[in-house]
Amino acid sequence: MIPPQEASVRRREIEDKLKQEEETLSFIRDSLEKSDQLTKNMVSILSSFESRLMKLENSIIPVHKQTENLQRLQENVEKTLSCLDHVISYYHVASDTEKIIREGPTGRLEEYLGCMAKIQKAVEYFQDNNPDSPELNRVKFLFERGKESLESEFRSLMTRHSKVVSPVLILDLISGEDDMEAPDDVPLDHLSESVLHDVIRISRWLVEYGRNQDFMNVYYQIRSSQLDRSIKGLKEHFRKSSSSSGVPYSPAIPNKRKDTPTKKPIKRPGHEHDFRVKHLSEALNDKHGPLAGRDDMLDMEIDAYIHCVSAFVKLAQSEYQLLTDIIPEHHQKKTFDSLIQDALDGLMMEGENIVSVARKAIIRHDYSAVLTVFPILRHLKQTKPEFDQVLQGTAASTKNKLPGLITSMETTGAKALEDFADNIKNDPDKEYNMPKDGTVHELTSNAILFLQQLLDFQETAGAMLASQETSSSATSYNSEFSKRLLSTYICKVLGNLQLNLLSKSKVYEDPALRAIFLHNNYNYILKSLEKSELIHLVAVTQKTAERSYRDHIEQQIQTYQRSWLKVTDYISEKNLPVFQPGVKLRDKERQMIKERFKGFNDGLEELCKIQKAWAIPDTEQRDKIRQAQKTIVKENYGAFLHRYASVPFTKNPEKYIKYRVEQVADMIERLFDTSA
């Protein structure tokens, strides 16, 4: 049970708490009443504000619409005034631009083109809006006059600033192909930057606004003339250089030049070997006469033509680069085709002239002129890929010009090769033309010299021969096929030469001299083949050629040695008298011994006298033949002397024993030596 005192305390606490809650509740009621009052006041204010806004909107919207209409009217007025100003400006174009158009575009191209743009717009306006206006005729006249002035300016710029490329610069451009240290390209600035800019601007205007293509004809005519003159200038440079110094020169590449540039000989473009026909022209000319002056001129013509071909490729490439900046794309190929025609036709015509000269030379059997075809043809074929690239896009007739010339040269070259082989075979046996000393015949040296020249042109000569083949193997032409054809041809020439030499040798009545003649020629052929490496080319189709020539040489040596039998037969063992030592010889035996000595002495003297005038140019062969003959004669004569020198077959032994063994050897040592 709770004590009374505690219950009293708790009652008081509860009463106090209840009193506080009542006070709080009373505060909340008062606050809610105030809030309701404020809400009612705010609703009243907002209702009043909404009413006022509606009144304001009803008043402003009509004013706004009126203002918008006024602004639209103002804009229309301004546009109308602007259009009027624009239209009026067209009526002033003629007077504003007439002076500039009349004075021309020189020196102020951009300003001039600006005036032309204004005139163009005026023309378009009057045509569309007032075609009967006199102003249209006036601006049309100005436009046509301005267009003519631009065409004239284009021609003037191209004419004044298109210069012939100097031979020195062309040679530097070409020499870069062979000089590994030279720059890849020697730039050709045909037109200065400012002139090129003006020319491009005019050409584009003429195409876009002038509706004119005549300027393209002007362009190709001017540039074509410069290209043609540049190549002709290079040829003239060679002619002058050749006449003054014998060798054309060119300064070094620009990055190698010093203050005073030194001159260097020009190398043929793309050539590993410098080919010269002047030695051959004397050797192979039918008349065998001096050709002073002709050889150097012929050589200069070859060099000049080869350089002109390379120059054409480089200059044409440069012309196309220039053309692409000036001429519209869809007209570039046609314009370029026209541009290069004169220079290309000149080269092709000159090439055909070379072919024509070669054909005439074949008829005369003058193979020096024919040989000009070889280096030129080789260079044309080496240059053909660049040619094809440069001529890409030109007409078929233009592309076919170089292949046509190459075919013509190949046909002519093949005809020359075959004619040369036939000429070797059919060269007549002219007795007066045979060497009296049995040395190498001129026909042999000429034939070998010709074949040696072909070493520098193996692929070219092989292609010539292949071009005449109709077999299926020719269709799959390759370097191996070419090599075999050339080997077969060389073997044919050598075979013809051998047959002719055999025929010519019959001119000699003395079989020994005939053998010396054939020996000399066979030996010369073999040594020449080995020295020039022709033997390797021959071996492609004839493996035993070298051994065959050695057998022929040995056979002729043996034939020659038989000429000494009439000397050695006198002192040989057969038919010599047999006698016993100390037994007196009979008259018949003494006479026989005398005849043997006399026959040997007379035969030795006669042979030495005759054969001393013969010649064996090869020192090694000469010594070999002498030594072999000395050995044979010394052995026989030594044995003969040993047997009969002490035999009393005569009262005058010095009459019959005229020579000692050493003297006989010395006499044989002087054989084949016209100076002895």
Side-chain angles (χ1 to χ4, degrees):
M1 187 171 188
I2 301 172
Q5 188 176 359
E6 289 183 6
S8 178
V9 172
R10 290 197 54 187
R11 188 171 49 251
R12 282 195 302 271
E13 290 176 355
I14 292 171
E15 289 175 352
D16 292 339
K17 190 172 183 182
L18 180 61
K19 186 179 181 179
Q20 289 177 356
E21 291 295 333
E22 289 176 350
E23 290 175 355
T24 301
L25 181 61
S26 177
F27 175 76
I28 291 173
R29 286 191 182 121
D30 292 340
S31 295
L32 285 173
E33 290 176 358
K34 290 179 180 179
S35 177
D36 288 340
Q37 186 63 39
L38 289 173
T39 299
K40 290 178 180 179
N41 292 337
M42 181 59 68
V43 169
S44 177
I45 292 171
L46 289 174
S47 297
S48 175
F49 185 70
E50 181 181 8
S51 176
R52 291 180 180 181
L53 281 176
M54 290 180 64
K55 290 180 180 180
L56 180 61
E57 182 179 358
N58 291 333
S59 301
I60 291 299
I61 286 177
V63 174
H64 175 72
K65 289 182 178 180
Q66 290 178 2
T67 303
E68 186 177 4
N69 290 334
L70 289 174
Q71 288 176 341
R72 189 178 295 111
L73 289 173
Q74 183 179 2
E75 289 175 1
N76 290 337
V77 170
E78 290 176 353
K79 287 181 180 179
T80 302
L81 291 174
S82 176
C83 288
L84 287 174
D85 290 339
H86 182 67
V87 170
I88 292 171
S89 68
Y90 288 130
Y91 287 87
H92 295 291
V93 165
S95 58
D96 291 343
T97 60
E98 186 174 9
K99 180 181 179 183
I100 296 175
I101 297 301
R102 185 174 61 251
E103 292 175 353
T106 304
R108 51 178 178 184
L109 179 61
E110 292 301 326
E111 181 184 4
Y112 195 88
L113 291 177
C115 291
M116 290 298 293
K118 292 179 181 179
I119 296 172
Q120 173 74 10
K121 290 179 180 178
V123 170
E124 293 172 354
Y125 171 79
F126 289 120
Q127 284 178 335
D128 293 339
N129 298 281
N130 194 1
D132 297 328
S133 171
E135 288 296 326
L136 175 60
N137 294 331
R138 188 177 178 189
V139 291
K140 271 188 173 181
F141 173 78
L142 282 178
F143 183 81
E144 291 301 322
R145 184 172 181 177
K147 185 172 73 171
E148 291 174 0
S149 295
L150 286 171
E151 293 171 357
S152 177
E153 179 70 4
F154 182 89
R155 179 187 294 274
S156 176
L157 287 173
M158 291 301 303
T159 303
R160 285 187 287 113
H161 297 281
S162 291
K163 305 297 181 184
V164 173
V165 182
S166 71
V168 171
L169 185 56
I170 295 175
L171 291 173
D172 282 347
L173 188 69
I174 298 172
S175 64
E177 297 176 352
D178 294 323
D179 195 338
M180 297 301 294
E181 298 180 3
D184 292 337
D185 292 304
V186 178
L188 287 177
D189 295 327
H190 295 291
L191 301 174
S192 67
E193 187 175 348
S194 61
V195 173
L196 180 60
H197 174 269
D198 288 352
V199 168
I200 293 173
R201 291 283 286 119
I202 294 174
S203 69
R204 290 179 179 174
W205 189 93
L206 289 173
V207 171
E208 186 174 358
Y209 301 107
R211 305 293 188 270
N212 184 297
Q213 296 182 6
D214 291 343
F215 77 94
M216 300 180 197
N217 296 332
V218 172
Y219 177 86
Y220 91 70
Q221 289 168 2
I222 294 173
R223 294 308 307 171
S224 175
S225 174
Q226 301 305 324
L227 175 61
D228 191 40
R229 289 171 59 193
S230 296
I231 293 176
K232 289 179 178 177
L234 177 62
K235 185 176 181 181
E236 185 64 25
H237 172 76
F238 269 84
R239 184 175 288 108
K240 290 180 179 178
S241 298
S242 179
S243 61
S244 61
S245 61
V247 181
Y249 289 99
S250 168
I253 300 301
N255 65 342
K256 295 182 180 179
R257 285 193 180 127
K258 300 179 181 178
D259 293 336
T260 304
T262 56
K263 291 184 177 180
K264 65 178 182 180
I266 287 299
K267 296 183 287 184
R268 280 198 184 136
H271 282 205
E272 296 177 359
H273 304 286
D274 192 24
F275 176 75
R276 293 291 182 265
V277 299
K278 58 184 178 182
H279 303 298
L280 204 55
S281 61
E282 286 189 10
L284 300 181
N285 187 270
D286 245 8
K287 303 300 181 182
H288 307 297
L291 302 174
R294 176 176 178 266
D295 309 318
D296 289 336
M297 183 61 66
L298 185 64
D299 198 42
M300 183 278 294
E301 292 292 340
I302 297 173
D303 276 337
Y305 187 73
I306 286 175
H307 278 83
C308 286
V309 169
S310 293
F312 172 81
V313 173
K314 292 297 182 183
L315 292 175
Q317 288 173 343
S318 179
E319 287 292 345
Y320 190 75
Q321 291 174 358
L322 178 65
L323 177 143
T324 55
D325 292 330
I326 300 173
I327 304 300
E329 183 175 359
H330 54 288
H331 292 285
Q332 290 173 1
K333 296 296 184 182
K334 182 179 179 181
T335 304
F336 180 70
D337 196 343
S338 301
L339 189 155
I340 62 173
Q341 283 304 315
D342 286 348
L344 182 59
D345 286 344
L347 284 177
M348 296 302 106
M349 185 179 298
E350 191 171 350
E352 289 295 344
N353 288 340
I354 292 171
V355 172
S356 177
V357 170
R359 286 171 180 160
K360 293 177 182 177
I362 294 173
I363 297 174
R364 301 192 310 270
H365 304 302
D366 175 9
Y367 299 98
S368 61
V370 172
L371 284 169
T372 61
V373 172
F374 284 79
I376 293 173
L377 176 58
R378 179 173 68 181
H379 184 67
L380 289 178
K381 296 182 78 171
Q382 288 174 344
T383 313
K384 187 177 181 298
E386 287 186 273
F387 246 98
D388 293 342
Q389 185 178 5
V390 169
L391 300 183
Q392 187 178 7
T394 57
S397 58
T398 302
K399 293 178 182 176
N400 293 333
K401 287 181 179 179
L402 180 64
L405 178 59
I406 289 176
T407 300
S408 181
M409 286 192 169
E410 282 187 334
T411 303
T412 302
K415 177 67 170 64
L417 292 174
E418 291 303 320
D419 191 77
F420 180 79
D422 293 341
N423 189 58
I424 292 295
K425 181 179 180 180
N426 301 319
D427 186 68
D429 300 330
K430 298 177 181 177
E431 187 173 347
Y432 64 84
N433 197 34
M434 294 293 289
K436 292 181 172 53
D437 57 0
T439 190
V440 178
H441 196 277
E442 192 173 24
L443 179 69
T444 302
S445 60
N446 290 350
I448 294 299
L449 187 56
F450 183 87
L451 295 179
Q452 286 173 342
Q453 296 295 333
L454 295 184
L455 281 176
D456 284 341
F457 304 97
Q458 293 184 40
E459 290 189 9
T460 304
M464 286 178 176
L465 297 169
S467 68
Q468 305 305 303
E469 291 290 319
T470 56
S471 63
S472 59
S473 59
T475 59
S476 57
Y477 169 75
N478 54 45
S479 59
E480 187 62 31
F481 177 69
S482 167
K483 196 172 185 180
R484 292 189 65 83
L485 279 179
L486 186 57
S487 175
T488 301
Y489 171 76
I490 292 174
C491 292
K492 176 181 178 181
V493 172
L494 293 175
N496 290 350
L497 177 60
Q498 186 173 340
L499 290 174
N500 201 321
L501 290 173
L502 283 170
S503 177
K504 290 182 184 300
S505 67
K506 296 176 183 178
V507 171
Y508 298 111
E509 296 179 359
D510 190 334
L513 180 55
R514 189 182 308 153
I516 290 296
F517 170 76
L518 291 175
H519 164 273
N520 283 333
N521 282 272
Y522 292 155
N523 183 66
Y524 177 82
I525 293 171
L526 177 60
K527 290 296 177 67
S528 298
L529 292 178
E530 293 174 335
K531 186 176 181 181
S532 65
E533 298 184 1
L534 273 169
I535 193 67
H536 300 306
L537 200 52
V538 171
V540 172
T541 53
Q542 285 195 10
K543 305 291 185 183
T544 61
E546 184 176 3
R547 186 179 66 189
S548 176
Y549 273 109
R550 295 193 187 281
D551 291 343
H552 287 319
I553 292 169
E554 189 59 36
Q555 182 182 353
Q556 297 309 319
I557 291 176
Q558 293 174 6
T559 301
Y560 162 74
Q561 288 175 341
R562 285 197 289 271
S563 69
W564 281 81
L565 290 177
K566 64 182 180 180
V567 176
T568 56
D569 276 352
Y570 283 106
I571 56 176
S572 62
E573 290 288 338
K574 63 180 180 178
N575 300 324
L576 285 176
V578 181
F579 58 89
Q580 297 294 328
V583 178
K584 186 177 180 180
L585 296 175
R586 291 175 296 179
D587 290 342
K588 182 179 179 181
E589 293 172 337
R590 286 196 299 271
Q591 184 61 33
M592 184 179 292
I593 294 172
K594 290 178 182 179
E595 289 176 357
R596 297 287 177 173
F597 270 107
K598 186 177 186 305
F600 173 79
N601 293 335
D602 292 346
L604 176 67
E605 291 169 358
E606 180 184 2
L607 280 184
C608 288
K609 180 181 179 181
I610 293 173
Q611 296 183 8
K612 177 183 176 181
W614 296 354
I616 299 180
D618 189 320
T619 305
E620 181 181 348
Q621 286 292 313
R622 184 168 64 239
D623 292 342
K624 175 184 175 181
I625 292 173
R626 283 173 176 171
Q627 187 61 42
Q629 205 56 51
K630 280 194 298 183
T631 300
I632 295 171
V633 176
K634 281 174 67 178
E635 287 179 358
N636 283 272
Y637 186 59
F640 185 76
L641 276 183
H642 179 72
R643 186 170 184 176
Y644 294 105
S646 59
V647 175
F649 66 90
T650 180
K651 295 180 180 180
N652 301 310
E654 65 278 359
K655 178 180 178 181
Y656 297 98
I657 308 176
K658 296 175 64 173
Y659 303 105
R660 299 189 306 277
V661 174
E662 292 75 14
Q663 288 177 308
V664 172
D666 186 58
M667 291 172 69
I668 295 174
E669 185 66 30
R670 290 196 294 272
L671 295 179
F672 317 116
D673 187 359
T674 55
S675 63

